[in-house]
Amino acid sequence: AVVSTQSTGVMHWNACLYYFLSIEIIEKGYPNVTDLDSRSNFIYPPSVDMDGHANKYASTSMKYAFSLYWSTQTMTTIGEVQQPTEVWEYFYLTFVFLVGVMIFA
């Protein structure tokens, strides 16, 4: 029970960090972040559609659910993870994989 609680806590914090990094990149105007065709699929999806209207990713519950899903999927290495495109994405994903291996091995 303790390991399960600790694993869930680590996945939660990783989800929060993933969302925070995504938002920081979006707000800092990182290159190609507004161009949906060339935007990295690694970061959190846009919360507005092509017309500027809020979509399903705009709600707080969806932001947390998507981030937690990404964190769980990545740390347990089950399923398809979005391919990183930037150097920081490779380093972050490598770190998350290593933490996941240490927890679940």
Side-chain angles (χ1 to χ4, degrees), residues 49-97:
D49 60 20
M50 298 298 274
D51 298 325
H53 299 102
N55 62 21
K56 68 180 181 179
Y57 295 109
S59 74
T60 303
S61 59
M62 184 57 139
K63 290 174 183 176
Y64 182 73
F66 184 93
S67 299
L68 186 61
Y69 174 79
W70 181 91
S71 176
T72 304
Q73 184 181 29
T74 305
M75 293 188 83
T76 59
T77 63
I78 55 170
E80 185 68 27
V81 177
Q82 292 294 335
Q83 179 69 30
T85 57
E86 303 293 331
V87 173
W88 77 267
E89 294 171 349
Y90 280 101
F91 283 118
Y92 180 65
L93 194 57
T94 300
F95 175 75
V96 171
F97 279 151

Side-chain angles (χ1 to χ4, degrees), residues 3-104:
V3 173
S4 177
T5 303
Q6 290 173 342
S7 299
T8 303
V10 170
M11 283 185 251
H12 163 78
W13 285 109
N14 185 47
C16 294
L17 181 61
Y18 165 76
Y19 181 73
F20 173 76
L21 288 173
S22 294
I23 295 306
E24 282 296 305
I25 289 168
I26 292 167
E27 288 180 355
K28 297 279 190 233
Y30 197 72
N32 301 327
V33 79
T34 55
D35 180 10
L36 298 181
D37 293 330
S38 62
R39 177 187 163 120
S40 172
N41 290 327
F42 187 78
I43 61 176
Y44 187 79
S47 56
V48 293
D49 60 20
M50 298 298 274
D51 298 325
H53 299 102
N55 62 21
K56 68 180 181 179
Y57 295 109
S59 74
T60 303
S61 59
M62 184 57 139
K63 290 174 183 176
Y64 182 73
F66 184 93
S67 299
L68 186 61
Y69 174 79
W70 181 91
S71 176
T72 304
Q73 184 181 29
T74 305
M75 293 188 83
T76 59
T77 63
I78 55 170
E80 185 68 27
V81 177
Q82 292 294 335
Q83 179 69 30
T85 57
E86 303 293 331
V87 173
W88 77 267
E89 294 171 349
Y90 280 101
F91 283 118
Y92 180 65
L93 194 57
T94 300
F95 175 75
V96 171
F97 279 151
L98 290 174
V99 169
V101 166
M102 288 184 246
I103 291 174
F104 296 106

